[in-house]
Amino acid sequence: MILMSKRKVSRDYLAERFSISKRTVSRYLNILEDAGVPITSVPGRGGGVMLADDYIIDKSFLSEAETIRIKNALSRTADEFDDKANLAIIEKLNSVNKSREQDGFAVKQDALYIDCDYEQAAFLRPRMKILSGAIETSRAVEINYTDARGFSSYRTIEPYTLVFKSGAWYIYAMCKLRGDFRLFKLSRISDLRLTSKGFIKYESKLTEKLELEYYNEVYADLEFEFYSPVTDSVIDWLGLSAITERGTRLIASAEVPMNDALVKRLLSYGSSVKVLNPPELVETIRAEAERMAKIYNAAK
């Protein structure tokens, strides 16, 4: 920002301004150059360092929180001035951050767009949007998390990656309470709050964590018959290569982890799916269907 305002300054000036050595100044200037900032060094008397005349700050320079703070301050002081400069600045800030104000997405990057337009969209989208912003700006988040045993606890996490695993969304983060990386299921998170505390990202070993998670799961050869109303959903889940035709029947076959999520998914298809194998899964589905029937029969 100093180079933007003064255009040309000496290393001595920068060293004195920030109370650092000229060697450190040179190192920081090199970092800026590596980041794509066009810095030019002018040697000799009257020389120094300067920016290219056509250089402008990228619109992502100010975070959304910083922009909101500036606009609030400008709005509150607008009546203290006779001109309309404050309003003009607010309009410019609105245009700069316009691309950040899209409500129709959960996670958006230049090479990635993820939308959660499904049953839990209204619940998950705000959480994913906050966590995506926290990942982008390296800011810690405070959450209330309920684990699989039903135990709730408040904790601070440093989010690294949003993960879609086994049909559910997770945030992979450093848990300050446990001092280790954890996968937190988004549906179990409440009281989500973005903090102003930044953090330095280290090697997260996400792949190793996911491989360990899958390694510990028990897999089985799933086979089920299904009908046309759920064809698209089955293809999205297992892929077209998992589907074969046996006469007039459609059969899906795949190796999948045997867990509660599998049972819930198959039950969600209702009468459009009939599980054929493995036998223990058939029995689990049958027993659950009988319990459901008793509940509804008792309500008559």
CSV table of all heavy atoms in Angstrom, one decimal, residues 55 59 70 168 210 298:
chain,number,residue,atom,x,y,z
A,55,TYR,N,-0.4,-0.9,-12.4
A,55,TYR,CA,-0.7,-1.9,-11.4
A,55,TYR,C,-1.8,-1.5,-10.5
A,55,TYR,O,-1.9,-0.3,-10.0
A,55,TYR,CB,0.5,-2.2,-10.5
A,55,TYR,CG,0.2,-3.3,-9.5
A,55,TYR,CD1,0.0,-4.6,-9.8
A,55,TYR,CD2,0.1,-2.9,-8.1
A,55,TYR,CE1,-0.3,-5.6,-8.9
A,55,TYR,CE2,-0.2,-3.9,-7.2
A,55,TYR,CZ,-0.4,-5.2,-7.5
A,55,TYR,OH,-0.7,-6.2,-6.6
A,59,LYS,N,-9.3,-7.3,-6.6
A,59,LYS,CA,-10.5,-7.0,-5.8
A,59,LYS,C,-10.6,-7.9,-4.6
A,59,LYS,O,-11.4,-7.6,-3.7
A,59,LYS,CB,-11.7,-7.2,-6.7
A,59,LYS,CG,-11.9,-8.6,-7.2
A,59,LYS,CD,-13.1,-8.6,-8.1
A,59,LYS,CE,-13.4,-10.0,-8.7
A,59,LYS,NZ,-14.5,-10.0,-9.6
A,70,ILE,N,-15.6,-1.3,6.8
A,70,ILE,CA,-15.4,0.0,6.1
A,70,ILE,C,-16.7,0.6,5.7
A,70,ILE,O,-16.9,1.8,6.0
A,70,ILE,CB,-14.5,-0.2,4.9
A,70,ILE,CG1,-13.1,-0.6,5.4
A,70,ILE,CG2,-14.4,1.1,4.1
A,70,ILE,CD1,-12.2,-1.0,4.2
A,168,ALA,N,-21.9,-37.9,2.7
A,168,ALA,CA,-22.1,-36.9,3.7
A,168,ALA,C,-20.9,-35.8,3.6
A,168,ALA,O,-19.8,-36.2,3.1
A,168,ALA,CB,-22.1,-37.5,5.1
A,210,LEU,N,-8.0,-40.1,5.3
A,210,LEU,CA,-9.1,-40.8,4.6
A,210,LEU,C,-8.8,-42.2,4.3
A,210,LEU,O,-9.7,-43.1,4.4
A,210,LEU,CB,-9.4,-40.0,3.3
A,210,LEU,CG,-10.0,-38.6,3.5
A,210,LEU,CD1,-10.2,-38.0,2.1
A,210,LEU,CD2,-11.3,-38.6,4.3
A,298,ALA,N,-50.0,-49.7,14.0
A,298,ALA,CA,-50.4,-49.4,15.3
A,298,ALA,C,-51.1,-48.0,15.3
A,298,ALA,O,-52.0,-47.7,16.2
A,298,ALA,CB,-49.3,-49.4,16.3
